[in-house]
Amino acid sequence: MVAATVPVKNQSELRERYIELLKRTLTMILWDAADGRLHDPSGAQRPELRIEGRDWPALSHTMIGLKRMDNLQYCVEDVLANGVPGDFIETGVWRGGACVFMRGILEAYGVTDRTVWVADSFEGLPAPDPAKYPADDGDILHTYDALAVTMETVKETFRRYNLLDTQVKMLPGWFKDTLPSAPIEKLAIVRLDGDMYESTMNGLQHLYPKLSVGGYLIVDDYALPACRQAVHDYRDRYGIVDPIEVIDFYGAFWKKVDTVQNDDSRRYAELSQNYAVLYQDHARVLECQQEAERELADLRGQRDTAATELADLRVRHDTAATELADLRVRHDTAATELADLRRRYAEHAEELERIRSSRAHSGAAGLSRVYQALTRAGRSSSR
């Protein structure tokens, strides 16, 4: 039996559907982020946070959100369409979702000559080295156990999507130790997700020179000051003027091109970078405003609840006051009745005492009369 050939048009449609389903499954947008947030036990659904990649999901295989996944898809498909040579790499993979997505896109397009490199310590983030990287001073991300995902867990994520094969290679260890000697010749996609200055700079120093012209450098944590400083320090040092484009609240990227570094291009790059910074600052202000509005709404709710409880307490107070007044009346009535009973008891006691005295007197007199009678009878008989 010969299998039916799928028309090219249907192949393209199926590929698009597979990639979209993969993306929405990895982010759990397919379930409206119903897994909730890792540090919010209430588990409240906030799909808008997942779309922007601004929460730490409880179960989702990626933290980067739908917008940054869309950007990753755009970059991967662009380098495939334009034949930009090189492998793909992500430095800092968490549960591995973004790397799974890149491997899934290669699978969808039938690409077998590119590797997805999965670079991570698989132990979380490194402790800051402020003597060498002052921008990381005070960073506490290394204390977050939730960021330490084992290599076997990441491999299992690939297995669940049936995408763990020879086109996936692990680079376990700290970036400073693994990236300088990584057996990578060319890269078409470099995705940096190291949060810190040190991690970002390590990625730029050892991977950007291997990035092919036409390839993409994606910075997941561009909104974080230390990460952004590392990006601009590196770009300034090597005269990189390719314009930075903002993805969402956190991420940014640029395409590596042969830019002529004249005054106009430098000015354009400077304006582009300033715009990116302003966009991120504006996004942070909006986030703070939204958070303040949520807190205000919560405080108003607490105020209304307190007002209701206060009104209830007042009703209970008034009821208790009425009951207390009634108890006082009943107490006064009981006290009056008790005083009357005591008076009557005293009267009865006096009457009883009189009766007892009278009986005692009557009894003594009767005995005296009997005794006298017996005496007289005795005398008579003796005669």
Side-chain angles (χ1 to χ4, degrees):
M1 182 175 179
V2 179
T5 303
V6 180
V8 174
K9 181 179 180 181
N10 289 348
Q11 288 180 349
S12 176
E13 183 179 350
L14 287 173
R15 178 171 59 237
E16 291 174 4
R17 289 186 178 185
Y18 168 74
I19 293 173
E20 189 65 22
L21 179 61
L22 180 61
K23 179 169 51 181
R24 292 180 174 273
T25 303
L26 286 164
T27 58
M28 287 202 80
I29 289 296
L30 191 63
W31 296 274
D32 293 328
D35 57 324
R37 287 162 284 172
L38 193 64
H39 300 295
D40 183 5
S42 68
Q45 286 182 239
R46 295 288 299 279
E48 71 278 9
L49 293 182
R50 189 64 54 80
I51 290 172
E52 289 277 348
R54 289 163 59 185
D55 65 349
W56 285 20
L59 300 175
S60 170
H61 290 140
T62 181
M63 194 188 295
I64 69 176
L66 193 59
K67 287 188 176 181
R68 271 170 273 164
M69 291 288 268
D70 286 340
N71 166 259
L72 184 56
Q73 179 183 351
Y74 165 78
C75 293
V76 171
E77 291 183 333
D78 186 71
V79 299
L80 293 180
N82 291 289
V84 178
D87 295 334
F88 305 157
I89 188 171
E90 183 179 40
T91 60
V93 304
W94 198 46
R95 294 173 181 163
C99 291
V100 170
F101 189 49
M102 288 192 286
R103 178 65 190 90
I105 296 175
L106 292 180
E107 183 73 12
Y109 280 90
V111 177
T112 59
D113 60 350
R114 296 182 192 254
T115 296
V116 175
W117 295 88
V118 184
D120 201 292
S121 70
F122 302 105
E123 299 177 20
L125 276 75
D129 183 2
K132 191 173 182 180
Y133 305 102
D136 287 334
D137 190 21
D139 190 281
I140 61 171
L141 289 173
H142 65 287
T143 66
Y144 286 83
D145 293 337
L147 296 177
V149 180
T150 67
M151 183 166 64
E152 185 53 42
T153 299
V154 175
K155 286 183 177 181
E156 178 59 27
T157 302
F158 276 92
R159 289 192 190 100
R160 291 189 180 193
Y161 295 91
N162 198 27
L163 291 171
L164 184 63
D165 57 16
T166 56
Q167 285 182 252
V168 176
K169 295 184 179 179
M170 301 287 168
L171 277 178
W174 303 116
F175 299 155
K176 63 180 181 180
D177 301 323
T178 60
L179 297 184
S181 58
I184 303 171
E185 295 182 6
K186 290 183 179 181
L187 291 164
I189 301 289
V190 175
R191 191 174 195 284
L192 306 179
D193 193 356
D195 298 79
M196 304 169 66
Y197 184 100
E198 176 183 359
S199 302
T200 303
M201 185 57 75
N202 282 329
L204 289 167
Q205 287 177 329
H206 303 295
L207 300 179
Y208 195 76
K210 297 180 180 182
L211 182 63
S212 299
V213 172
Y216 290 92
L217 191 291
I218 306 169
V219 186
D220 186 80
D221 307 297
Y222 185 72
L224 300 181
C227 174
R228 187 165 63 198
Q229 182 180 337
V231 170
H232 288 288
D233 285 352
Y234 184 85
R235 285 170 61 93
D236 291 344
R237 184 182 308 162
Y238 294 99
I240 299 171
V241 296
D242 301 329
I244 296 175
E245 298 183 50
V246 171
I247 303 169
D248 58 9
F249 178 81
Y250 280 107
F253 75 112
W254 73 84
K255 185 175 186 177
K256 186 175 185 180
V257 296
D258 284 327
T259 305
V260 177
Q261 297 183 17
N262 54 33
D263 291 340
D264 289 339
S265 63
R266 288 182 180 277
R267 180 57 179 165
Y268 175 75
E270 181 182 350
L271 289 174
S272 176
Q273 292 175 11
N274 289 341
Y275 168 77
V277 172
L278 289 173
Y279 181 91
Q280 301 288 353
D281 291 342
H282 175 66
R284 280 196 296 273
V285 169
L286 286 179
E287 182 183 38
C288 292
Q289 180 182 353
Q290 292 170 356
E291 185 64 30
E293 289 174 352
R294 287 193 292 268
E295 291 179 357
L296 180 59
D298 182 60
L299 288 173
R300 284 173 176 164
Q302 294 181 36
R303 180 200 62 188
D304 294 342
T305 300
T308 301
E309 292 177 352
L310 179 59
D312 180 63
L313 286 173
R314 283 174 175 165
V315 171
R316 292 165 61 186
H317 171 268
D318 294 342
T319 301
T322 301
E323 292 176 352
L324 179 59
D326 181 62
L327 286 173
R328 284 174 176 167
V329 170
R330 291 166 62 186
H331 172 270
D332 294 343
T333 301
T336 301
E337 292 176 353
L338 180 60
D340 183 62
L341 286 172
R342 284 175 174 169
R343 179 183 58 76
R344 291 168 62 188
Y345 172 78
E347 291 176 352
H348 291 165
E350 290 177 359
E351 182 64 22
L352 181 62
E353 186 60 30
R354 284 196 300 272
I355 292 171
R356 285 177 177 169
S357 297
S358 176
R359 287 181 177 178
H361 178 71
S362 299
L367 288 174
S368 178
R369 286 194 297 273
V370 170
Y371 175 75
Q372 290 176 1
L374 289 175
T375 300
R376 285 196 298 271
R379 289 175 181 174
S380 298
S381 63
S382 62
R383 287 179 185 168

